Amino acid sequence: MSIIPVISEPVLSVFQNIAPVHRSVLLDVRKLIFDVSSNDPRVGIIEEALRWGEPAYIATRRKTGSTIRLGVERTSGMPALFFNCNTTLVEGFRDQFGPVLKYSKNRAVLIDRTDAEIKSAMSVCIASALTYHLPG
C-alpha cells in the first residue's frame, strides 16, 4: 500500500486550473504513480514538482528513471502522461500496447478512458519510466 503525499501548494494550484473532468482523471493517475513506485523497491522516493508548468514525478535516486509529467495535451485536449521525447518510452509503449492506448507523437500517452485495461497498461508505462535508466 502506498502513501500518497499531500500535494504542495504550487502543484495544487496547477491541478485546480485544469477542467474538473480532466483534473479527476489526472489526480487518479497521480495516485497510480505513487502506487506503482511503492511496489518497486528499485524506484525509491518519488519527488513531485513542477516542470514546464505541469505536475512532474521523478525518482529522487539518481540515474533511476525519467520524468513523468501530467497535463492536458494541447492538440487533442485530452488528459495525458507526458514522457521525455528523447527516450524510447512511447515507442516501446506503442510496440507493447498498440491500439489499446492512444499516443501523441513520441511524447505522451493520452488518457481517453480509465477502465482496468487502461490502468493496467498505464501502470506498466509508469513503471517503465520510473526505472528507465536501470539495467534491464
Side-chain angles (χ1 to χ4, degrees), residues 2-9 11-12 15 22-38 46-49 55-57 68-71 80-81 111 119 122 126 130:
S2 69
I3 297 173
I4 310 301
V6 173
I7 303 174
S8 70
E9 190 57 43
V11 174
L12 181 61
F15 275 119
H22 295 329
R23 181 185 325 136
S24 172
V25 169
L26 293 173
L27 287 172
D28 284 347
V29 174
R30 176 186 183 266
K31 180 184 180 313
L32 188 60
I33 290 169
F34 286 104
D35 287 344
V36 168
S37 68
S38 71
I46 295 294
E47 174 189 350
E48 179 176 49
Y57 305 85
I68 300 169
R69 290 180 294 117
L70 298 179
L81 283 152
I111 307 165
K119 284 187 178 183
M122 284 193 306
I126 291 164
L130 294 176

Side-chain angles (χ1 to χ4, degrees), residues 20-114:
V21 64
H22 295 329
R23 181 185 325 136
S24 172
V25 169
L26 293 173
L27 287 172
D28 284 347
V29 174
R30 176 186 183 266
K31 180 184 180 313
L32 188 60
I33 290 169
F34 286 104
D35 287 344
V36 168
S37 68
S38 71
N39 288 317
D40 189 334
R42 300 174 302 160
V43 174
I45 297 169
I46 295 294
E47 174 189 350
E48 179 176 49
L50 292 177
R51 300 286 188 274
W52 300 279
E54 295 171 323
Y57 305 85
I58 185 72
T60 58
R61 216 177 267 163
R62 288 180 45 83
K63 305 246 187 215
T64 300
S66 182
T67 302
I68 300 169
R69 290 180 294 117
L70 298 179
V72 177
E73 200 270 333
R74 290 184 190 133
T75 304
S76 67
M78 295 170 63
L81 283 152
F82 292 97
F83 301 93
N84 184 324
C85 62
N86 293 318
T87 67
T88 58
L89 286 164
V90 175
E91 179 183 316
F93 304 153
R94 269 193 187 92
D95 290 344
Q96 186 171 4
F97 298 109
V100 169
L101 296 174
K102 294 198 181 318
Y103 312 91
S104 175
K105 301 180 184 175
N106 66 336
R107 65 187 199 104
V109 170
L110 306 175
I111 307 165
D112 65 339
R113 62 188 210 274
T114 56

